[in-house]
mmCIF file of all heavy atoms in Angstrom:
data_model
loop_
_atom_site.group_PDB
_atom_site.id
_atom_site.type_symbol
_atom_site.label_atom_id
_atom_site.label_comp_id
_atom_site.label_asym_id
_atom_site.label_seq_id
_atom_site.Cartn_x
_atom_site.Cartn_y
_atom_site.Cartn_z
ATOM 1 N N GLY C 62 -8.418 16.162 11.135
ATOM 2 C CA GLY C 62 -9.120 17.365 11.585
ATOM 3 C C GLY C 62 -10.599 17.077 11.665
ATOM 4 O O GLY C 62 -11.025 15.927 11.491
ATOM 5 N N VAL C 63 -11.395 18.139 11.887
ATOM 6 C CA VAL C 63 -12.818 17.924 12.161
ATOM 7 C C VAL C 63 -13.684 18.048 10.907
ATOM 8 O O VAL C 63 -14.282 17.079 10.460
ATOM 9 C CB VAL C 63 -13.320 18.886 13.256
ATOM 10 C CG1 VAL C 63 -14.802 18.668 13.513
ATOM 11 C CG2 VAL C 63 -12.547 18.653 14.540
ATOM 12 N N GLY C 64 -13.759 19.246 10.309
ATOM 13 C CA GLY C 64 -14.651 19.419 9.157
ATOM 14 C C GLY C 64 -14.153 18.614 7.962
ATOM 15 O O GLY C 64 -13.025 18.122 7.926
ATOM 16 N N ASP C 66 -14.858 20.097 4.869
ATOM 17 C CA ASP C 66 -15.236 21.055 3.832
ATOM 18 C C ASP C 66 -14.140 21.296 2.791
ATOM 19 O O ASP C 66 -14.387 21.974 1.804
ATOM 20 C CB ASP C 66 -15.777 22.370 4.433
ATOM 21 C CG ASP C 66 -15.035 22.835 5.666
ATOM 22 O OD1 ASP C 66 -14.991 22.069 6.642
ATOM 23 O OD2 ASP C 66 -14.507 23.952 5.648
ATOM 24 N N ALA C 84 -12.605 13.062 13.791
ATOM 25 C CA ALA C 84 -13.651 13.823 14.475
ATOM 26 C C ALA C 84 -13.302 14.458 15.819
ATOM 27 O O ALA C 84 -13.039 15.653 15.873
ATOM 28 C CB ALA C 84 -14.892 12.953 14.588
ATOM 29 N N SER C 85 -13.300 13.702 16.908
ATOM 30 C CA SER C 85 -13.228 14.365 18.216
ATOM 31 C C SER C 85 -11.802 14.584 18.724
ATOM 32 O O SER C 85 -11.608 15.147 19.797
ATOM 33 C CB SER C 85 -14.030 13.563 19.241
ATOM 34 O OG SER C 85 -13.463 12.278 19.341
ATOM 35 N N SER C 87 -9.574 16.696 18.063
ATOM 36 C CA SER C 87 -9.111 18.082 18.230
ATOM 37 C C SER C 87 -9.898 18.892 19.258
ATOM 38 O O SER C 87 -9.618 20.076 19.450
ATOM 39 C CB SER C 87 -9.195 18.810 16.880
ATOM 40 O OG SER C 87 -8.488 18.115 15.890
ATOM 41 N N SER C 88 -10.895 18.282 19.906
ATOM 42 C CA SER C 88 -11.834 19.072 20.713
ATOM 43 C C SER C 88 -11.145 19.880 21.812
ATOM 44 O O SER C 88 -11.443 21.058 22.006
ATOM 45 C CB SER C 88 -12.877 18.164 21.360
ATOM 46 O OG SER C 88 -13.418 17.311 20.397
ATOM 47 N N VAL C 91 -8.953 22.832 20.400
ATOM 48 C CA VAL C 91 -9.721 23.974 19.883
ATOM 49 C C VAL C 91 -10.449 24.681 21.029
ATOM 50 O O VAL C 91 -10.498 25.914 21.082
ATOM 51 C CB VAL C 91 -10.722 23.530 18.793
ATOM 52 C CG1 VAL C 91 -11.440 24.753 18.217
ATOM 53 C CG2 VAL C 91 -10.017 22.776 17.679
ATOM 54 N N LEU C 94 -8.153 26.968 22.844
ATOM 55 C CA LEU C 94 -7.888 28.221 22.117
ATOM 56 C C LEU C 94 -9.119 29.127 22.173
ATOM 57 O O LEU C 94 -8.986 30.342 22.363
ATOM 58 C CB LEU C 94 -7.482 27.963 20.661
ATOM 59 C CG LEU C 94 -7.087 29.271 19.966
ATOM 60 C CD1 LEU C 94 -5.722 29.760 20.434
ATOM 61 C CD2 LEU C 94 -7.120 29.158 18.460
ATOM 62 N N VAL C 136 -23.198 28.391 19.757
ATOM 63 C CA VAL C 136 -23.931 28.040 18.551
ATOM 64 C C VAL C 136 -23.255 26.780 18.045
ATOM 65 O O VAL C 136 -22.155 26.835 17.487
ATOM 66 C CB VAL C 136 -23.910 29.185 17.520
ATOM 67 C CG1 VAL C 136 -24.747 28.802 16.299
ATOM 68 C CG2 VAL C 136 -24.440 30.477 18.140
ATOM 69 N N GLY C 137 -23.897 25.641 18.312
ATOM 70 C CA GLY C 137 -23.272 24.346 18.086
ATOM 71 C C GLY C 137 -22.718 23.839 19.411
ATOM 72 O O GLY C 137 -21.815 24.465 19.987
ATOM 73 N N ALA C 138 -23.316 22.749 19.919
ATOM 74 C CA ALA C 138 -22.883 22.217 21.229
ATOM 75 C C ALA C 138 -22.407 20.776 21.073
ATOM 76 O O ALA C 138 -22.776 19.902 21.844
ATOM 77 C CB ALA C 138 -24.018 22.332 22.245
ATOM 78 N N GLY C 139 -21.585 20.529 20.046
ATOM 79 C CA GLY C 139 -21.008 19.200 19.822
ATOM 80 C C GLY C 139 -19.733 19.048 20.648
ATOM 81 O O GLY C 139 -19.651 19.523 21.789
ATOM 82 N N ASN C 140 -18.730 18.415 20.046
ATOM 83 C CA ASN C 140 -17.513 18.086 20.810
ATOM 84 C C ASN C 140 -16.784 19.317 21.333
ATOM 85 O O ASN C 140 -16.453 19.400 22.516
ATOM 86 C CB ASN C 140 -16.564 17.269 19.928
ATOM 87 C CG ASN C 140 -17.114 15.887 19.646
ATOM 88 O OD1 ASN C 140 -17.606 15.210 20.542
ATOM 89 N ND2 ASN C 140 -17.057 15.455 18.397
ATOM 90 N N ILE C 141 -16.529 20.290 20.456
ATOM 91 C CA ILE C 141 -15.746 21.456 20.887
ATOM 92 C C ILE C 141 -16.590 22.363 21.782
ATOM 93 O O ILE C 141 -16.123 22.831 22.834
ATOM 94 C CB ILE C 141 -15.196 22.232 19.664
ATOM 95 C CG1 ILE C 141 -14.247 21.334 18.848
ATOM 96 C CG2 ILE C 141 -14.465 23.492 20.113
ATOM 97 C CD1 ILE C 141 -13.824 21.909 17.506
ATOM 98 N N GLY C 142 -17.843 22.598 21.380
ATOM 99 C CA GLY C 142 -18.724 23.422 22.204
ATOM 100 C C GLY C 142 -18.829 22.864 23.610
ATOM 101 O O GLY C 142 -18.786 23.603 24.608
ATOM 102 N N TYR C 159 -27.453 26.584 21.359
ATOM 103 C CA TYR C 159 -28.407 26.203 20.314
ATOM 104 C C TYR C 159 -27.760 25.125 19.462
ATOM 105 O O TYR C 159 -26.632 25.303 18.970
ATOM 106 C CB TYR C 159 -28.770 27.413 19.439
ATOM 107 C CG TYR C 159 -29.490 27.008 18.171
ATOM 108 C CD1 TYR C 159 -30.762 26.438 18.229
ATOM 109 C CD2 TYR C 159 -28.888 27.159 16.921
ATOM 110 C CE1 TYR C 159 -31.416 26.030 17.073
ATOM 111 C CE2 TYR C 159 -29.538 26.761 15.753
ATOM 112 C CZ TYR C 159 -30.799 26.197 15.846
ATOM 113 O OH TYR C 159 -31.443 25.793 14.704
ATOM 114 N N ASP C 160 -28.434 24.005 19.348
ATOM 115 C CA ASP C 160 -27.937 22.933 18.492
ATOM 116 C C ASP C 160 -29.127 22.119 18.014
ATOM 117 O O ASP C 160 -29.733 21.378 18.800
ATOM 118 C CB ASP C 160 -26.948 22.041 19.265
ATOM 119 C CG ASP C 160 -26.189 21.100 18.330
ATOM 120 O OD1 ASP C 160 -26.837 20.468 17.472
ATOM 121 O OD2 ASP C 160 -24.956 21.019 18.451
ATOM 122 N N PRO C 161 -29.499 22.265 16.737
ATOM 123 C CA PRO C 161 -30.730 21.636 16.257
ATOM 124 C C PRO C 161 -30.702 20.109 16.294
ATOM 125 O O PRO C 161 -31.742 19.473 16.276
ATOM 126 C CB PRO C 161 -30.847 22.135 14.806
ATOM 127 C CG PRO C 161 -29.477 22.533 14.416
ATOM 128 C CD PRO C 161 -28.790 22.981 15.663
ATOM 129 N N LEU C 162 -29.503 19.506 16.384
ATOM 130 C CA LEU C 162 -29.435 18.038 16.366
ATOM 131 C C LEU C 162 -29.447 17.412 17.763
ATOM 132 O O LEU C 162 -29.504 16.200 17.900
ATOM 133 C CB LEU C 162 -28.189 17.563 15.606
ATOM 134 C CG LEU C 162 -28.140 17.890 14.119
ATOM 135 C CD1 LEU C 162 -26.990 17.154 13.447
ATOM 136 C CD2 LEU C 162 -29.456 17.543 13.419
ATOM 137 N N LEU C 163 -29.358 18.253 18.798
ATOM 138 C CA LEU C 163 -29.317 17.704 20.159
ATOM 139 C C LEU C 163 -30.656 17.879 20.857
ATOM 140 O O LEU C 163 -31.250 18.950 20.813
ATOM 141 C CB LEU C 163 -28.237 18.413 20.993
ATOM 142 C CG LEU C 163 -26.787 18.254 20.544
ATOM 143 C CD1 LEU C 163 -25.859 18.945 21.538
ATOM 144 C CD2 LEU C 163 -26.404 16.787 20.417
ATOM 145 N N LEU C 186 -18.938 30.336 18.285
ATOM 146 C CA LEU C 186 -19.425 29.491 17.183
ATOM 147 C C LEU C 186 -18.679 28.157 17.162
ATOM 148 O O LEU C 186 -17.441 28.130 17.168
ATOM 149 C CB LEU C 186 -19.206 30.189 15.835
ATOM 150 C CG LEU C 186 -19.824 31.577 15.642
ATOM 151 C CD1 LEU C 186 -19.536 32.077 14.223
ATOM 152 C CD2 LEU C 186 -21.317 31.565 15.902
ATOM 153 N N HIS C 187 -19.459 27.060 17.082
ATOM 154 C CA HIS C 187 -18.860 25.714 17.007
ATOM 155 C C HIS C 187 -19.646 24.847 16.047
ATOM 156 O O HIS C 187 -20.007 23.710 16.357
ATOM 157 C CB HIS C 187 -18.804 25.093 18.411
ATOM 158 C CG HIS C 187 -17.989 25.928 19.326
ATOM 159 N ND1 HIS C 187 -16.614 26.020 19.224
ATOM 160 C CD2 HIS C 187 -18.351 26.787 20.309
ATOM 161 C CE1 HIS C 187 -16.168 26.882 20.117
ATOM 162 N NE2 HIS C 187 -17.200 27.364 20.779
ATOM 163 N N VAL C 188 -19.925 25.414 14.873
ATOM 164 C CA VAL C 188 -20.742 24.729 13.870
ATOM 165 C C VAL C 188 -19.875 24.332 12.675
ATOM 166 O O VAL C 188 -18.852 24.958 12.414
ATOM 167 C CB VAL C 188 -21.873 25.661 13.365
ATOM 168 C CG1 VAL C 188 -22.938 25.838 14.424
ATOM 169 C CG2 VAL C 188 -21.326 27.011 12.922
ATOM 170 N N PRO C 189 -20.298 23.318 11.934
ATOM 171 C CA PRO C 189 -19.629 23.061 10.656
ATOM 172 C C PRO C 189 -20.058 24.123 9.648
ATOM 173 O O PRO C 189 -21.088 24.786 9.857
ATOM 174 C CB PRO C 189 -20.172 21.687 10.248
ATOM 175 C CG PRO C 189 -21.492 21.576 10.942
ATOM 176 C CD PRO C 189 -21.397 22.376 12.205
ATOM 177 N N LEU C 190 -19.287 24.277 8.585
ATOM 178 C CA LEU C 190 -19.702 25.211 7.522
ATOM 179 C C LEU C 190 -20.699 24.497 6.611
ATOM 180 O O LEU C 190 -20.359 23.520 5.957
ATOM 181 C CB LEU C 190 -18.487 25.672 6.717
ATOM 182 C CG LEU C 190 -18.791 26.708 5.636
ATOM 183 C CD1 LEU C 190 -19.275 28.023 6.251
ATOM 184 C CD2 LEU C 190 -17.573 26.949 4.758
ATOM 185 N N THR C 191 -21.948 24.974 6.631
ATOM 186 C CA THR C 191 -22.997 24.389 5.793
ATOM 187 C C THR C 191 -23.760 25.547 5.138
ATOM 188 O O THR C 191 -23.507 26.716 5.460
ATOM 189 C CB THR C 191 -24.009 23.586 6.641
ATOM 190 O OG1 THR C 191 -24.667 24.499 7.540
ATOM 191 C CG2 THR C 191 -23.337 22.487 7.458
ATOM 192 N N GLU C 193 -26.568 26.407 5.863
ATOM 193 C CA GLU C 193 -27.293 27.098 6.938
ATOM 194 C C GLU C 193 -26.390 27.994 7.779
ATOM 195 O O GLU C 193 -26.814 29.044 8.271
ATOM 196 C CB GLU C 193 -27.926 26.031 7.834
ATOM 197 C CG GLU C 193 -29.185 26.472 8.549
ATOM 198 C CD GLU C 193 -29.668 25.364 9.480
ATOM 199 O OE1 GLU C 193 -29.541 24.176 9.088
ATOM 200 O OE2 GLU C 193 -30.117 25.688 10.574
ATOM 201 N N THR C 194 -25.138 27.577 7.960
ATOM 202 C CA THR C 194 -24.260 28.341 8.868
ATOM 203 C C THR C 194 -23.410 29.379 8.130
ATOM 204 O O THR C 194 -22.855 30.272 8.765
ATOM 205 C CB THR C 194 -23.318 27.399 9.654
ATOM 206 O OG1 THR C 194 -22.479 26.696 8.726
ATOM 207 C CG2 THR C 194 -24.113 26.401 10.474
ATOM 208 N N MET C 197 -23.998 33.160 8.898
ATOM 209 C CA MET C 197 -25.057 33.220 9.923
ATOM 210 C C MET C 197 -24.878 34.405 10.876
ATOM 211 O O MET C 197 -25.856 34.850 11.484
ATOM 212 C CB MET C 197 -25.177 31.898 10.695
ATOM 213 C CG MET C 197 -24.106 31.630 11.710
ATOM 214 S SD MET C 197 -24.176 29.935 12.403
ATOM 215 C CE MET C 197 -25.860 29.766 12.909
ATOM 216 N N THR C 215 -14.033 29.989 16.440
ATOM 217 C CA THR C 215 -13.006 28.993 16.102
ATOM 218 C C THR C 215 -13.612 27.966 15.139
ATOM 219 O O THR C 215 -13.072 26.883 14.974
ATOM 220 C CB THR C 215 -12.477 28.256 17.354
ATOM 221 O OG1 THR C 215 -13.593 27.712 18.063
ATOM 222 C CG2 THR C 215 -11.676 29.169 18.249
ATOM 223 N N ALA C 216 -14.766 28.325 14.525
ATOM 224 C CA ALA C 216 -15.442 27.369 13.638
ATOM 225 C C ALA C 216 -14.948 27.549 12.198
ATOM 226 O O ALA C 216 -14.018 26.852 11.766
ATOM 227 C CB ALA C 216 -16.952 27.531 13.748
ATOM 228 N N ARG C 217 -15.523 28.493 11.498
ATOM 229 C CA ARG C 217 -15.103 28.786 10.132
ATOM 230 C C ARG C 217 -15.297 30.278 9.851
ATOM 231 O O ARG C 217 -16.324 30.847 10.228
ATOM 232 C CB ARG C 217 -15.910 27.976 9.103
ATOM 233 C CG ARG C 217 -15.546 26.495 9.017
ATOM 234 C CD ARG C 217 -14.154 26.269 8.415
ATOM 235 N NE ARG C 217 -13.772 24.866 8.365
ATOM 236 C CZ ARG C 217 -12.969 24.255 9.242
ATOM 237 N NH1 ARG C 217 -12.462 24.913 10.250
ATOM 238 N NH2 ARG C 217 -12.653 22.978 9.085
ATOM 239 N N ASP C 241 -10.035 32.730 15.256
ATOM 240 C CA ASP C 241 -8.922 31.891 14.786
ATOM 241 C C ASP C 241 -9.072 31.590 13.303
ATOM 242 O O ASP C 241 -8.158 31.068 12.682
ATOM 243 C CB ASP C 241 -8.931 30.565 15.577
ATOM 244 C CG ASP C 241 -7.779 29.641 15.221
ATOM 245 O OD1 ASP C 241 -6.630 30.139 15.166
ATOM 246 O OD2 ASP C 241 -8.005 28.439 15.008
ATOM 247 N N VAL C 242 -10.256 31.881 12.760
ATOM 248 C CA VAL C 242 -10.591 31.387 11.421
ATOM 249 C C VAL C 242 -10.963 32.525 10.479
ATOM 250 O O VAL C 242 -11.473 33.556 10.905
ATOM 251 C CB VAL C 242 -11.732 30.339 11.512
ATOM 252 C CG1 VAL C 242 -11.214 29.031 12.056
ATOM 253 C CG2 VAL C 242 -12.892 30.862 12.342
ATOM 254 N N HIS C 265 -5.402 30.452 12.541
ATOM 255 C CA HIS C 265 -5.970 29.103 12.385
ATOM 256 C C HIS C 265 -5.084 28.048 13.048
ATOM 257 O O HIS C 265 -4.647 27.088 12.399
ATOM 258 C CB HIS C 265 -6.212 28.765 10.907
ATOM 259 C CG HIS C 265 -7.237 27.678 10.735
ATOM 260 N ND1 HIS C 265 -7.787 27.343 9.520
ATOM 261 C CD2 HIS C 265 -7.821 26.827 11.636
ATOM 262 C CE1 HIS C 265 -8.651 26.355 9.679
ATOM 263 N NE2 HIS C 265 -8.692 26.031 10.959
ATOM 264 N N ILE C 266 -4.873 28.241 14.356
ATOM 265 C CA ILE C 266 -4.013 27.307 15.101
ATOM 266 C C ILE C 266 -4.809 26.490 16.115
ATOM 267 O O ILE C 266 -4.233 25.873 17.018
ATOM 268 C CB ILE C 266 -2.865 28.055 15.832
ATOM 269 C CG1 ILE C 266 -3.418 29.246 16.655
ATOM 270 C CG2 ILE C 266 -1.822 28.532 14.837
ATOM 271 C CD1 ILE C 266 -2.402 29.893 17.574
ATOM 272 N N GLY C 267 -6.145 26.484 15.942
ATOM 273 C CA GLY C 267 -6.998 25.795 16.916
ATOM 274 C C GLY C 267 -6.594 24.352 17.157
ATOM 275 O O GLY C 267 -6.573 23.873 18.291
ATOM 276 N N ALA C 268 -6.269 23.652 16.086
ATOM 277 C CA ALA C 268 -5.990 22.219 16.219
ATOM 278 C C ALA C 268 -4.504 21.935 16.380
ATOM 279 O O ALA C 268 -4.099 20.773 16.466
ATOM 280 C CB ALA C 268 -6.527 21.488 14.994
ATOM 281 N N SER C 269 -3.683 22.988 16.432
ATOM 282 C CA SER C 269 -2.238 22.788 16.248
ATOM 283 C C SER C 269 -1.445 22.484 17.513
ATOM 284 O O SER C 269 -0.240 22.711 17.543
ATOM 285 C CB SER C 269 -1.625 24.019 15.578
ATOM 286 O OG SER C 269 -2.305 24.307 14.390
HETATM 287 P P1 NAD S 301 -19.258 18.442 16.137
HETATM 288 O O1 NAD S 301 -19.796 17.760 14.933
HETATM 289 O O2 NAD S 301 -18.927 17.629 17.339
HETATM 290 O O3 NAD S 301 -20.277 19.583 16.597
HETATM 291 C C1 NAD S 301 -20.869 20.481 15.699
HETATM 292 C C2 NAD S 301 -22.281 20.721 16.187
HETATM 293 O O4 NAD S 301 -22.857 21.759 15.389
HETATM 294 C C3 NAD S 301 -23.180 19.479 16.035
HETATM 295 O O5 NAD S 301 -23.664 19.077 17.313
HETATM 296 C C4 NAD S 301 -24.297 19.951 15.119
HETATM 297 O O6 NAD S 301 -25.555 19.459 15.484
HETATM 298 C C5 NAD S 301 -24.241 21.461 15.302
HETATM 299 N N1 NAD S 301 -24.850 22.213 14.214
HETATM 300 C C6 NAD S 301 -24.911 21.904 12.901
HETATM 301 N N2 NAD S 301 -25.578 22.866 12.234
HETATM 302 C C7 NAD S 301 -25.920 23.804 13.156
HETATM 303 C C8 NAD S 301 -26.620 25.040 13.089
HETATM 304 N N3 NAD S 301 -27.095 25.490 11.939
HETATM 305 N N4 NAD S 301 -26.786 25.744 14.227
HETATM 306 C C9 NAD S 301 -26.297 25.286 15.413
HETATM 307 N N5 NAD S 301 -25.648 24.119 15.540
HETATM 308 C C10 NAD S 301 -25.461 23.389 14.418
HETATM 309 O O7 NAD S 301 -17.989 19.269 15.650
HETATM 310 P P2 NAD S 301 -16.850 19.923 16.560
HETATM 311 O O8 NAD S 301 -15.768 18.950 16.738
HETATM 312 O O9 NAD S 301 -17.458 20.547 17.754
HETATM 313 O O10 NAD S 301 -16.304 21.037 15.556
HETATM 314 C C11 NAD S 301 -17.095 22.171 15.208
HETATM 315 C C12 NAD S 301 -16.432 22.945 14.087
HETATM 316 O O11 NAD S 301 -15.216 23.522 14.561
HETATM 317 C C13 NAD S 301 -15.976 22.097 12.899
HETATM 318 O O12 NAD S 301 -17.025 21.799 12.018
HETATM 319 C C14 NAD S 301 -14.937 22.997 12.260
HETATM 320 O O13 NAD S 301 -15.565 23.877 11.359
HETATM 321 C C15 NAD S 301 -14.391 23.807 13.439
HETATM 322 N N6 NAD S 301 -13.006 23.458 13.771
HETATM 323 C C16 NAD S 301 -12.078 24.428 13.780
HETATM 324 C C17 NAD S 301 -10.765 24.133 14.121
HETATM 325 C C18 NAD S 301 -9.720 25.213 14.201
HETATM 326 O O14 NAD S 301 -8.554 24.924 13.978
HETATM 327 N N7 NAD S 301 -10.087 26.435 14.531
HETATM 328 C C19 NAD S 301 -10.395 22.822 14.409
HETATM 329 C C20 NAD S 301 -11.369 21.842 14.413
HETATM 330 C C21 NAD S 301 -12.682 22.170 14.088
#
Side-chain angles (χ1 to χ4, degrees):
V63 179
D66 39 302
S85 61
S87 305
S88 311
V91 184
L94 185 74
V136 183
N140 291 315
I141 298 170
Y159 167 66
D160 192 313
L162 295 190
L163 296 184
L186 303 182
H187 300 289
V188 288
L190 183 65
T191 63
E193 208 184 323
T194 62
M197 75 189 309
T215 54
R217 286 291 178 260
D241 183 47
V242 286
H265 202 169
I266 50 171
S269 306

